[in-house]
Amino acid sequence: TARDHFERGLALATRLGRPGVSERSNLALTLLNLGHPREALARFEEVIRLADASADGILSAVGRKNAAECWIALGDRAKADRLMHEALQIYAKEDVPPKRKELLQLMVDNLEAIGRHAEALQRLREYHALDQEMINSETKARIASLENDYTLKSKDVEIALQRAELQAQQADLE
């Protein structure tokens, strides 16, 4: 069903004169998940070509990462490795930590499978450092949000106390 919907979405985008890069990417990912890596790879190659032409770095990197997964499914881990390195370079420029983290995990698994253990360890360390950076960033944002909530609630209490005091003073005056 998802494949049918994505194919209709791609056909509609084409009729409207749009390149349909996201539609192609979603269709390709569905094909990969359905166990059709060769067909998915052809779609991801289109995504990469279109994303590169439009200078959409993030979509280009996503396409490369997903194409790498196709090559892994097809048994060519060397081609997958090349695409993952290209995607990693793009993610480093675009500064997309969650996508970079996802890619690093895939790279670790692929490097381990092809016996490049030292490089796999290096990528695992990058993954861990990025994970810690993301956790710290999320923690800082959460703390700032909690502090802000506390400050607002404190102000609300202070205003309520001032109103009550003002009402008491008005009652005394009356």
Side-chain angles (χ1 to χ4, degrees):
T1 302
R3 179 182 182 165
D4 293 339
H5 287 294
F6 289 131
E7 285 177 347
R8 281 197 304 270
L10 178 57
L12 180 60
T14 303
R15 273 194 306 257
L16 294 173
R18 292 185 29 240
V21 181
S22 293
E23 292 86 350
R24 289 174 202 278
S25 184
N26 290 333
L27 174 58
L29 193 55
T30 300
L31 291 168
L32 179 59
N33 290 333
L34 289 173
H36 305 291
R38 190 155 309 280
E39 192 177 350
L41 179 61
R43 299 289 185 159
F44 284 128
E45 287 172 344
E46 290 174 15
V47 168
I48 293 167
R49 183 180 52 76
L50 291 168
D52 286 351
S54 68
D56 186 335
I58 294 171
L59 198 51
S60 177
V62 168
R64 282 173 165 76
K65 181 249 181 205
N66 290 335
E69 289 188 81
C70 293
W71 281 115
I72 289 170
L74 293 168
D76 194 334
R77 289 182 175 272
K79 286 183 181 175
D81 182 60
R82 180 185 54 79
L83 285 166
M84 285 187 276
H85 278 87
E86 290 173 11
L88 188 62
Q89 290 175 346
I90 295 168
Y91 282 143
K93 289 178 197 169
E94 298 288 337
D95 192 32
V96 187
K99 291 289 187 187
R100 199 166 86 228
K101 182 179 161 189
E102 182 183 318
L103 175 64
L104 285 167
Q105 181 62 58
L106 183 63
M107 290 179 86
V108 168
D109 294 342
N110 192 57
L111 290 165
E112 181 182 25
I114 57 179
R116 290 168 42 196
H117 301 291
E119 193 176 345
L121 179 60
Q122 175 191 348
R123 297 297 179 200
L124 185 60
R125 287 181 177 145
E126 287 176 46
Y127 173 90
H128 180 69
L130 183 59
D131 186 52
Q132 290 302 308
E133 179 183 313
M134 288 173 62
I135 289 170
N136 290 340
S137 178
E138 289 170 6
T139 301
K140 286 177 185 174
R142 182 71 181 134
I143 289 171
S145 175
L146 290 171
E147 286 174 344
N148 189 41
D149 288 349
Y150 175 77
T151 301
L152 288 174
K153 285 184 179 31
S154 295
K155 296 274 186 209
D156 287 345
V157 169
E158 188 178 322
I159 290 169
L161 288 172
Q162 288 174 353
R163 282 187 183 148
E165 188 177 315
L166 186 60
Q167 286 174 348
Q169 288 174 354
Q170 281 182 324
D172 286 347
L173 286 174
E174 290 174 2

